Amino acid sequence: MKEQHIGFNLRMLQNEVMRFIDQKARQKGLDKVTLSNGWILMTLYDNRKRDMFQKDLEAECGIARSTVTGVVKLMERKGLIRRESVPDDARLKKLVLTEKGLQVRNAMAEIFDECEAVLSAGMSKDELNEFIGKLQQLRGKLLT
């Protein structure tokens, strides 16, 4: 039997998830929005009750500083987010969703929900929780 590799299978799954989401986004006219844009919009929305900065996106989305900087600049140019000064420290710029960003976030949330439904179809709640737990356990091994 052929040897199975966890990393390879995870990469193949990631490719299929990206393809699914990209196709659905194009169907909704969101062809200028990337998968990472979608996750960042979701993260900003989920944390809208507090100030969010680039360093927070790095931590919450697992994205490198240099990547976040470039993605945030592009998202700003697309009109999805804006940077606002904070009263306590003029050097700090919090990230805020624009109205367009909120609309795109809502459309992406529908796509993400559809993808999750397809991926979890046929799994019980316990099986799903166990699977996600295993994924988190694997990720944790690489973070230490």
Side-chain angles (χ1 to χ4, degrees), residues 52-118:
M52 288 288 290
F53 303 95
Q54 282 188 210
K55 65 179 175 56
D56 299 316
L57 289 180
E58 293 168 26
E60 294 212 20
C61 298
I63 305 172
R65 175 180 289 162
S66 58
T67 303
V68 169
T69 299
V71 170
V72 164
K73 284 180 184 177
L74 283 173
M75 290 178 73
E76 222 176 349
R77 276 188 247 146
K78 292 176 187 178
L80 301 173
I81 60 174
R82 69 178 177 274
R83 295 178 215 224
E84 292 181 357
S85 296
V86 294
D88 305 348
D89 187 344
R91 297 171 297 171
L92 284 177
K93 303 286 186 206
K94 67 181 177 179
L95 303 174
V96 180
L97 285 176
T98 62
E99 186 60 37
K100 179 181 178 182
L102 180 60
Q103 291 170 358
V104 170
R105 177 262 170 216
N106 292 340
M108 293 300 287
E110 290 176 11
I111 294 168
F112 291 161
D113 289 346
E114 184 179 351
C115 185
E116 288 294 314
V118 169

Side-chain angles (χ1 to χ4, degrees), residues 17 37 40 44 54 71 74 88 90 94 96 101 122 124 130 143-144:
V17 167
N37 289 172
I40 288 171
L44 291 174
Q54 282 188 210
V71 170
L74 283 173
D88 305 348
K94 67 181 177 179
V96 180
S124 71
E130 182 180 349
L143 293 175
T144 55

